[in-house]
Amino acid sequence: MPLSNASASRLLVENMSLLKNLSFDNGVLDLACGSGRNGLLLARDNIHVTFADCDRGKLGLLAGELRDQGLEGVCWQVDLETTSSDPLSHKWFDLVLVFNYLHRPLMASIREVVRPGGLIVYETFTVRQPQFGKPTNPDYLLRPGELLESFGEWEVEHYFEGEKQSGSKKNRCAKASLIARKPKQALR
């Protein structure tokens, strides 16, 4: 069953205007994409998206959806956490999407894979999340200010850290979200 634009992250949907000046010559990376709900929003606008995840089953469903809808995109099965080499090395994207995922050893590579002038859209849980539910492992939870600090030299277009509503009005979560542009003079 195809996903609707409504299933894409509110952060992405509400900030689509920030993407209007990107060339998309290098496409989009939807990192740890899961069902691909965020990348699909862009693929439906004829933007080439690379959907990266370790879950073969989810990527198979996603590949079928791309094919059935005639959308631009490729599925890349990759384990971002246990490979001996950097899976993002020698790759280049205009936009990187990261939602509900944190693997600190990959942060430098995420910064590198965005071309100068490109954007990162990153949103995940903070250390305050356990009061609301899973995840509870501190390895997967951002410390206060950590996301902003990770992209400190970049031009911040949007930043939020605190409680958010997730799904129904009863569900709350603790997240940090960032949209930032890599400086144009940045070296790869």
Side-chain angles (χ1 to χ4, degrees):
M1 173 162 98
L3 297 169
S4 70
N5 287 355
S7 66
S9 166
R10 218 166 112 189
L11 174 67
L12 183 60
V13 171
E14 290 177 357
N15 289 284
M16 289 293 286
S17 64
L18 294 174
L19 311 183
K20 67 182 175 195
N21 293 327
L22 292 178
S23 68
F24 291 111
D25 295 335
N26 299 293
V28 174
L29 174 62
D30 191 351
L31 192 67
C33 68
S35 65
R37 65 190 179 102
N38 295 301
L40 282 169
L41 175 67
L42 301 174
R44 288 188 184 103
D45 278 338
N46 297 314
I47 297 169
H48 188 274
V49 179
T50 298
F51 296 88
D53 204 284
C54 64
D55 189 320
R56 180 189 310 255
K58 286 181 181 177
L59 287 175
L61 292 172
L62 189 52
E65 186 163 353
L66 291 169
R67 184 182 56 253
D68 293 348
Q69 294 185 37
L71 301 176
E72 287 285 324
V74 295
C75 293
W76 175 31
Q77 185 181 357
V78 58
D79 186 335
L80 298 164
E81 298 179 19
T82 61
T83 58
S84 59
S85 62
D86 180 359
L88 298 178
S89 180
H90 306 295
K91 297 197 182 318
W92 194 249
F93 296 94
D94 299 296
L95 172 65
V96 174
L97 306 174
V98 185
F99 287 89
N100 301 328
Y101 178 76
L102 177 63
H103 183 60
R104 286 179 179 90
L106 203 57
M107 289 302 268
S109 295
I110 292 171
R111 286 190 302 271
E112 290 297 313
V113 81
V114 177
R115 71 156 175 85
L119 288 173
I120 181 80
V121 178
Y122 204 131
E123 181 175 71
T124 197
F125 299 98
T126 69
V127 293
R128 293 181 50 219
Q129 177 57 26
Q131 68 183 313
F132 302 109
K134 293 183 180 183
T136 58
N137 184 334
D139 291 342
Y140 307 122
L141 302 173
L142 290 164
R143 295 180 295 271
E146 182 179 4
L147 185 58
L148 191 59
E149 224 173 82
S150 293
F151 294 89
E153 301 296 317
W154 293 34
E155 178 186 334
V156 175
E157 302 282 352
H158 166 87
Y159 185 72
F160 171 83
E161 188 168 335
E163 290 181 27
K164 283 190 166 193
Q165 201 154 311
S166 174
S168 75
K169 291 184 179 188
K170 294 179 184 178
N171 293 332
R172 309 261 323 142
C173 62
K175 286 196 168 183
S177 56
L178 170 82
I179 300 175
R181 188 173 307 279
K182 188 173 188 176
K184 288 191 178 191
Q185 69 278 7
L187 298 175
R188 172 115 162 92

